[in-house]
């Protein structure tokens, strides 16, 4: 009997020693515990609990590594409201995902500004300048069609189009306040029109015609004065950073138009 008692105590001590080592590993943030439940008593249950903690730590470590590498699609299972580690990893994922999106958007905006700046460089006439700027913005924003109006003598006059099916259906003159283009001039704001009506301008494709689902109107102004207006049509939503991008090129295009006009007037005087 004494032998059995001594043997049992020895086994329990060995098991407790292993559990103590496992607890120290967990405390240090290590994973990969080399313990196994050897009984169905309290000690065995405690061993299983340690293994569950270790397994969860492995999953959280793998998730954190994936998130840090830019993989935000990895699922994170939280064990409950009091799962501090799990909830912390979810918050980290959300914060990094938001930061990554904002950073990508900034790079996208910077690329677009560079493309537009390149398009309006040089001593161009107003028609050529407006066309190049319209094409650059339409291409970059993924628009399927576009219109450009230049303000002259208080009226908006049609200048050029981008991928139009039929220019005959385009209004050649618009006064401030008329249509969404004239309204954008009055408000001096970028305007987005969704759920476009059926009778709106159509987009031409190799297989026929279809209507855009979204219309974006961009007044080009400098010092509060509108020089021109662009209207873009798209079958899909415009990129999320379009307002930031357009707000950074509105003034530069307007200034370029004003400079081109002044150059033309000077040449006429000479």
């Amino acid at each position: 009997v004494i032998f059995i008692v001594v043997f049992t105590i020895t086994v329990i001590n060995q098991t407790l020693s292993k559990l103590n080592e496992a607890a120290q590993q967990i405390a240090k943030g290590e994973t990969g515990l080399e313990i196994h439940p050897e009984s169905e008593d309290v000690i065995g249950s405690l061993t299983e609990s340690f293994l569950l903690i270790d397994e969860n730590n492995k999953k959280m470590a793998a998730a954190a590594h994936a998130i840090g590498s830019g993989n935000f699609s990895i699922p994170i299972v939280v064990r409950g409201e009091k799962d501090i580690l799990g909830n912390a990893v979810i918050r980290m994922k959300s914060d990094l995902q938001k930061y990554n999106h904002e950073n990508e958007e900034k790079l996208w905006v910077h690329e677009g500004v560079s493309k537009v700046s390149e398009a309006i460089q040089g001593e161009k006439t107003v028609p050529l300048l407006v066309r190049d700027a319209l094409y650059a913005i339409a291409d970059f924003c993924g628009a399927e069609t576009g219109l450009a109006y230049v303000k002259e003598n208080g009226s908006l006059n049609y200048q050029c189009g981008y991928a139009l099916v039929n220019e005959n259906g385009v209004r050649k003159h618009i006064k401030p306040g008329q249509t969404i283009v004239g309204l954008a001039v009055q408000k001096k704001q970028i305007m987005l029109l969704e759920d476009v009506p059926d009778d709106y301008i159509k987009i031409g494709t190799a297989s026929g015609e279809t209507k855009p689902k979204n219309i974006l109107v961009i007044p080009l102004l400098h010092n509060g004065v509108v020089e021109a207006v662009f209207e873009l049509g798209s079958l899909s939503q415009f990129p999320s950073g379009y307002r930031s991008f357009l707000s950074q090129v509105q003034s530069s295009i307007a200034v370029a138009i004003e400079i081109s006009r002044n150059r033309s007037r000077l040449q006429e005087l000479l």
Side-chain angles (χ1 to χ4, degrees), residues 12 22 30 39 123 162 173-174 183 190-191 209 237 240 242 258:
I12 292 174
E30 299 176 5
S39 60
E123 296 184 357
Y162 173 84
H173 307 284
I174 298 176
L183 188 60
I190 297 172
M191 300 184 67
E209 299 177 4
Q237 290 184 338
S240 60
Y242 76 90
E258 184 179 3

Side-chain angles (χ1 to χ4, degrees), residues 190-212:
I190 297 172
M191 300 184 67
L192 177 64
L193 177 64
E194 299 176 300
D195 298 324
V196 177
D198 293 332
D199 58 351
Y200 212 84
I201 187 171
K202 301 294 191 297
I203 293 173
T205 65
S207 59
E209 299 177 4
T210 184
K211 70 164 187 173

Side-chain angles (χ1 to χ4, degrees), residues 104-120 132-142 239 241-242 244-250 252-253:
E104 287 180 349
E105 189 172 283
K106 287 179 181 178
L107 293 174
W108 181 82
V109 169
H110 179 73
E111 180 185 356
V113 171
S114 297
K115 288 182 179 295
V116 172
S117 297
E118 183 179 347
I120 63 177
D132 289 350
L134 174 66
Y135 274 53
I137 291 178
D139 285 339
F140 191 69
C141 288
Y242 76 90
S244 178
F245 160 59
L246 294 174
S247 65
Q248 293 190 41
V249 299
Q250 282 177 292
S252 58
I253 300 174

Side-chain angles (χ1 to χ4, degrees), residues 61-262:
H65 178 75
I67 293 168
S69 301
N71 179 14
F72 301 109
S73 62
I74 186 167
I76 301 173
V77 179
V78 179
R79 293 166 293 181
E81 294 181 0
K82 296 183 179 181
D83 184 358
I84 298 176
L85 177 60
N87 285 301
V89 172
I90 286 180
R91 285 194 299 271
M92 180 187 71
K93 174 183 175 181
S94 177
D95 291 342
L96 287 177
Q97 193 169 12
K98 181 180 179 181
Y99 172 79
N100 186 66
H101 174 74
E102 291 176 349
N103 192 48
E104 287 180 349
E105 189 172 283
K106 287 179 181 178
L107 293 174
W108 181 82
V109 169
H110 179 73
E111 180 185 356
V113 171
S114 297
K115 288 182 179 295
V116 172
S117 297
E118 183 179 347
I120 63 177
Q121 283 182 353
E123 296 184 357
K124 299 180 179 181
T125 62
V126 171
L128 180 59
L129 173 66
V130 170
R131 189 203 67 178
D132 289 350
L134 174 66
Y135 274 53
I137 291 178
D139 285 339
F140 191 69
C141 288
E144 282 80 23
T145 189
L147 303 170
Y149 287 86
V150 175
K151 192 176 181 183
E152 297 175 344
N153 301 320
S155 177
L156 294 167
N157 299 324
Y158 173 70
Q159 185 67 65
C160 62
Y162 173 84
L164 294 182
V165 177
N166 182 8
E167 286 190 330
N168 294 329
V170 176
R171 296 185 63 165
K172 299 301 187 289
H173 307 284
I174 298 176
K175 294 182 179 180
Q178 291 182 338
T179 75
I180 188 175
V181 171
L183 188 60
V185 172
Q186 277 191 337
K187 292 188 173 183
K188 298 179 181 180
Q189 295 177 352
I190 297 172
M191 300 184 67
L192 177 64
L193 177 64
E194 299 176 300
D195 298 324
V196 177
D198 293 332
D199 58 351
Y200 212 84
I201 187 171
K202 301 294 191 297
I203 293 173
T205 65
S207 59
E209 299 177 4
T210 184
K211 70 164 187 173
K213 293 183 179 179
N214 299 281
I215 297 293
L216 188 60
V217 182
I218 312 112
L220 306 174
L221 67 161
H222 175 63
N223 289 334
V225 178
V226 176
E227 297 289 345
V229 181
F230 288 171
E231 177 184 306
L232 305 180
S234 177
L235 295 172
S236 57
Q237 290 184 338
F238 288 101
S240 60
Y242 76 90
R243 285 190 182 273
S244 178
F245 160 59
L246 294 174
S247 65
Q248 293 190 41
V249 299
Q250 282 177 292
S251 179
S252 58
I253 300 174
V255 169
I257 293 173
E258 184 179 3
I259 292 174
S260 179
R261 279 177 171 161
N262 292 336

